[in-house]
Amino acid sequence: MSAGLVIFLFTIIYSLLCLVLRHQRMASAFAAAIGAGSIAAFVLLVPFDEAFLFGEISIKFASEWIILGRMFSLSENVRPLIGFLYLSGAFLLPAAWLVNANRFFPSVALLILAIVAASLMVDPFVFAAVFIELAAMGAVFVLVTQQHPRSTGATRMLILYTIAMVSILFTGSLLEVAGITSATPVLAMRVTFMLGFGFAILMTIPPFHLWLPKSVEESDPYILVFILVILQSAGFFFLLRFLDSYVWLREQTLIYDGIRIAGIITTILAVLLSASQRDIKKLMAYALLVDLGVLLIALGSGTEDAFRLALSLSAVRVIALGVLALGLSYLCNSAWLVSQMRGVGYKMPFAAAAFLVGLLSVAGTPLTAGFPVRWSLLTVVLNADKLAAGTVLFSMVGLGMLVIRLAAILFGRRDDDDIIAVSKEPRIFLLGGILLLLLLGLFPQLVFPWVEDVASGLANLFL
Amino acid sequence: MTWLNNYLFLPVVILFITGSALALMRPQPRSMLILAAQYIAVSWLASTSLPAAGVAAKLVTGLLVCVIFYIGIRQIGDDPLRGDDQLLSANIPFSIIALLLVTVASVSVARSNLFAQFDIRIEASVGALFLIAASLLNLGLGTDQLRIGIGLLTFVSGAELIYGFIEPALALIALLTMVHLGIVLVISYIISIQIRYAISENRDP
């Protein structure tokens, strides 16, 4: 039996189970998380292409699966990436029942994970663009619901992802058919431009971020973070595989300069925009962009160490953004919040604390999960590009000051500071998230094994 | 079916007419007939690059998309959509000028050597580039979901037409078929959600 088929079947089974359990939101969310976790374990731990004993039964999973003449391969270089996506799902999905999500969300979320996994498995890998487009379509079903009927942001996302799909498909074909090398500079420049355009959309780099602030206004922040983490990770891994596969692309300093400049612009713009926000939902959208900007700076530095840091950032951001969004989602469920933020920290202390600690981690404040990676990045880029190092520092200081200002507002005294009762389970989730962020701040090496797994798979990029 | 290749100017003319009509008209259920004609013309042009099975799949998908769109809009209850009796878009002079500009631009680009290495027929590249340009215009001209849906389907059709010459693989035809169906399902879903919301709030969507 092929491993790809097993993933597909398990996704369908768990998705149907979530559908059956949709009226019991907690059971449905946990079923989805268990499903994602078990698939992640299968991808990361089970040996492929060799027989092994399960009890007394000998089993062999083939890493390749062929459909319509195209191969879906679970090769060593994509296994850690797919495992990461499913682990992200397993981490984010249990809390889905706590937020204002549609009851079909866990079911659709599993399907989105499977489609993104397919985008990593398909060969030739340029076809991944079509799968990411299909995943974006799935995202619309969870972003636009009866609870959140407005659809401007989701529609903008769909339009942009469709354009990105076409751009990347053409680029991939140009690369394969036209045989581009460093000896064909005009064609190489054209391809680089189209590729950059496509990836700028996939990774929500300004000005293609316009759907994000609109979506955060229109949807639940937690659901948006799930979608964004999965789609941006897919785009990021896709870019890594492009760089790993094409020598001329990897050897062009222009590419890395472009990525780094995009990162610098994204970070500065997002910090300034977040500082000018009065709406904390939009502030989260810009914090997401700050995080992305720092990730791009790491990637654009073009060294192995910086690539490792970019991978670490992509791992840590799942937790930081998840905790931030969960806290925010709770805060936003209080209708009066938008107009009266002052004192909310006393009314909902756990939610406010989760929001602030999540934001602190995105800012890269010491003792939080975001700090060790950002600090290492500073040391890596300081000698090579002072502007990039200054931008990382600016993001840390800028967002840090913003958190202080927000904390002063959220925990400012009001006359009616009665605590809004929050049941035990949400408190456990919020507190657990905060503790996890602090734990990763103290022991950042916990994400190292995964980073090394990815690095060993992308053998050309990590020599 | 090779005799069809002798009249390839016809689908190009049909694409110019349907693309212009979709950009100038206000989107409504009857726009699906125009979209269906556009899909037929696209399939005709695609027959120069794809195998017969691929062309048939493209044609059937296109017609299916139109039917799903039409049924979706009608079944949801066409009252909110029918409230709009105007046939043409607002600001028609601007739309006509913009359409003329994108037509000239697409023909110019098609006549350049942009796709020289792929041996694409001039009729297909003119038609495809016009579709892409008209769809971008369509997406830019309005915000209502039906227009966006039609714009996206037109955009993918145009891109697919060129891509058929580059990679006429069955797997890719199947994937892009799923993209067409996905777009129509997503847009129908959004329209249904908004109409339900409008009905529950008792206001105009």
Side-chain angles (χ1 to χ4, degrees):
Chain A
M1 187 183 253
S2 63
L5 181 63
V6 171
I7 293 177
F8 176 73
L9 288 177
F10 268 81
T11 302
I12 297 292
I13 290 167
Y14 277 110
S15 190
L16 286 174
L17 182 64
C18 294
L19 199 66
V20 172
L21 295 170
R22 68 185 182 279
H23 294 293
Q24 295 152 292
R25 292 164 62 90
M26 187 174 160
S28 170
F30 274 98
I34 291 167
S38 57
I39 294 172
F42 172 75
V43 171
L44 293 172
L45 303 176
V46 174
F48 296 155
D49 296 324
E50 56 184 83
F52 65 96
L53 286 174
F54 185 74
E56 291 183 353
I57 309 164
S58 174
I59 302 175
K60 183 179 173 184
F61 292 109
S63 61
E64 292 172 356
W65 185 33
I66 294 172
I67 307 173
L68 286 175
R70 293 289 159 182
M71 192 165 67
F72 288 81
S73 169
L74 259 167
S75 57
E76 289 304 316
N77 62 342
V78 298
R79 283 176 69 171
L81 304 178
I82 295 173
F84 167 78
L85 285 170
Y86 275 104
L87 281 179
S88 303
F91 176 77
L92 292 171
L93 284 170
W97 69 281
L98 298 169
V99 300
N100 190 15
N102 184 285
R103 59 178 184 270
F104 295 100
F105 170 67
S107 197
V108 179
L110 279 178
L111 293 176
I112 291 172
L113 283 173
I115 294 170
V116 175
S119 81
L120 292 166
M121 285 192 273
V122 70
D123 186 37
F125 73 91
V126 288
F127 283 13
V130 185
F131 284 96
I132 296 176
E133 159 79 351
L134 292 173
M137 285 176 187
V140 176
F141 285 103
V142 290
L143 288 174
V144 183
T145 60
Q146 283 190 9
Q147 297 100 310
H148 304 283
R150 289 188 295 157
S151 64
T152 312
T155 316
R156 281 181 190 169
M157 179 190 72
L158 185 64
I159 294 170
L160 287 171
Y161 270 73
T162 306
I163 294 171
M165 172 194 74
V166 169
S167 175
I168 292 175
L169 269 182
F170 273 107
T171 315
S173 303
L174 275 171
L175 285 170
E176 290 193 356
V177 178
I180 292 165
T181 62
S182 48
T184 53
V186 177
L187 211 53
M189 184 61 80
R190 195 181 290 171
V191 166
T192 307
F193 174 75
M194 282 177 72
L195 198 63
F197 176 71
F199 279 110
I201 293 176
L202 286 191
M203 298 191 70
T204 336
I205 296 170
F208 305 112
H209 72 292
L210 287 174
W211 66 273
L212 190 58
K214 205 70 191 164
S215 281
V216 82
E217 268 181 38
E218 296 173 346
S219 324
D220 187 274
Y222 194 76
I223 306 302
L224 181 67
V225 159
F226 175 84
I227 295 300
L228 200 79
V229 161
I230 299 301
L231 290 183
Q232 268 186 353
S233 299
F236 174 55
F237 296 155
F238 194 18
L239 179 60
L240 283 181
R241 293 181 71 200
F242 253 98
L243 291 172
D244 188 62
S245 301
Y246 297 104
V247 184
W248 72 270
L249 200 62
R250 205 166 49 242
E251 288 176 348
Q252 277 198 65
T253 51
L254 180 73
I255 298 270
Y256 295 112
D257 290 344
I259 294 173
R260 202 168 60 252
I261 290 167
I264 290 169
I265 294 172
T266 304
T267 309
I268 293 174
L269 191 74
V271 170
L272 294 177
L273 284 170
S274 56
S276 65
Q277 283 310 312
R278 294 176 68 85
D279 178 353
I280 56 170
K281 286 176 93 177
K282 277 192 175 174
L283 192 147
M284 187 195 83
Y286 293 119
L288 288 167
L289 284 182
V290 174
D291 202 47
L292 171 74
V294 175
L295 191 145
L296 290 174
I297 289 173
L299 189 62
S301 297
T303 62
E304 274 186 50
D305 286 344
F307 291 151
R308 282 193 167 80
L309 289 171
L311 287 169
S312 304
L313 269 172
S314 71
V316 166
R317 75 199 301 254
V318 177
I319 302 165
L321 296 178
V323 174
L324 187 160
L326 186 60
L328 182 60
S329 183
Y330 250 82
L331 294 177
C332 290
N333 284 339
S334 307
W336 45 265
L337 173 80
V338 178
S339 56
Q340 292 179 313
M341 276 205 306
R342 183 167 292 279
V344 167
Y346 288 102
K347 288 181 173 292
M348 305 176 86
F350 286 97
F355 172 68
L356 290 174
V357 174
L359 204 55
L360 279 173
S361 182
V362 172
T365 312
L367 293 178
T368 61
F371 175 71
V373 188
R374 276 171 176 74
W375 193 252
S376 308
L377 181 61
L378 268 178
T379 57
V380 167
V381 297
L382 192 59
N383 291 327
D385 186 346
K386 298 242 174 335
L387 180 62
T391 306
V392 175
L393 204 60
F394 173 67
S395 76
M396 292 169 78
V397 175
L399 272 190
M401 286 173 65
L402 195 66
V403 175
I404 294 170
R405 197 189 83 186
L406 268 175
I409 294 171
L410 290 175
F411 287 95
R413 278 283 171 197
R414 277 196 346 185
D415 295 337
D416 53 336
D417 283 341
D418 303 329
I419 289 177
I420 295 176
V422 176
S423 57
K424 195 170 74 179
E425 296 87 354
R427 270 187 303 185
I428 291 171
F429 272 90
L430 292 164
L431 201 60
I434 294 170
L435 289 176
L436 192 59
L437 280 180
L438 298 177
L439 187 74
L440 276 174
L442 293 173
F443 304 103
Q445 65 272 28
L446 290 174
V447 297
F448 285 1
W450 173 75
V451 172
E452 287 309 316
D453 273 357
V454 177
S456 64
L458 301 169
N460 296 322
L461 214 52
F462 297 86
L463 295 169
Chain B
M1 298 287 276
T2 48
W3 61 271
L4 282 174
N5 289 350
N6 298 329
Y7 302 99
L8 281 179
F9 67 93
L10 270 177
V12 179
V13 173
I14 294 171
L15 287 183
F16 273 97
I17 294 169
T18 53
S20 306
L22 288 171
L24 296 176
M25 282 174 62
R26 293 184 84 95
Q28 49 207 293
R30 72 190 110 166
S31 302
M32 294 309 122
L33 285 173
I34 302 171
L35 193 63
Q38 184 174 286
Y39 270 115
I40 292 169
V42 167
S43 303
W44 189 344
L45 279 177
S47 67
T48 55
S49 64
L50 298 180
V55 177
K58 204 178 273 287
L59 183 61
V60 171
T61 308
L63 297 179
L64 195 64
V65 160
C66 296
V67 171
I68 294 172
F69 230 156
Y70 185 79
I71 291 174
I73 296 163
R74 301 290 296 189
Q75 282 195 344
I76 290 160
D78 53 354
D79 282 344
L81 292 166
R82 208 167 48 192
D84 186 1
D85 283 335
Q86 276 185 286
L87 183 68
L88 296 173
S89 300
N91 208 350
I92 197 74
F94 170 77
S95 302
I96 290 174
I97 292 169
L99 195 62
L100 283 173
L101 285 175
V102 299
T103 307
V104 171
S106 57
V107 173
S108 311
V109 174
R111 287 166 60 90
S112 71
N113 62 350
L114 187 65
F115 304 112
Q117 63 266 52
F118 296 123
D119 196 24
I120 298 174
R121 287 189 72 125
I122 184 73
E123 295 91 343
S125 67
V126 169
L129 287 169
F130 174 74
L131 281 182
I132 291 172
S135 68
L136 292 176
L137 182 67
N138 223 342
L139 290 170
L141 280 177
T143 54
D144 66 284
Q145 306 303 333
L146 202 50
R147 184 181 281 281
I148 288 170
I150 291 170
L152 282 176
L153 291 168
T154 308
F155 180 80
V156 177
S157 294
E160 228 179 323
L161 203 47
I162 296 176
Y163 204 73
F165 285 88
I166 302 170
E167 173 123 26
L170 194 61
L172 196 71
I173 295 170
L175 278 175
L176 289 172
T177 297
M178 285 167 72
V179 170
H180 279 272
L181 291 172
I183 289 171
V184 76
L185 286 176
V186 165
I187 297 294
S188 301
Y189 169 76
I190 292 176
I191 292 173
S192 78
I193 288 283
Q194 291 188 337
I195 288 178
R196 269 187 225 166
Y197 175 69
I199 290 168
S200 70
E201 296 283 305
N202 197 18
R203 66 179 198 188
D204 184 9

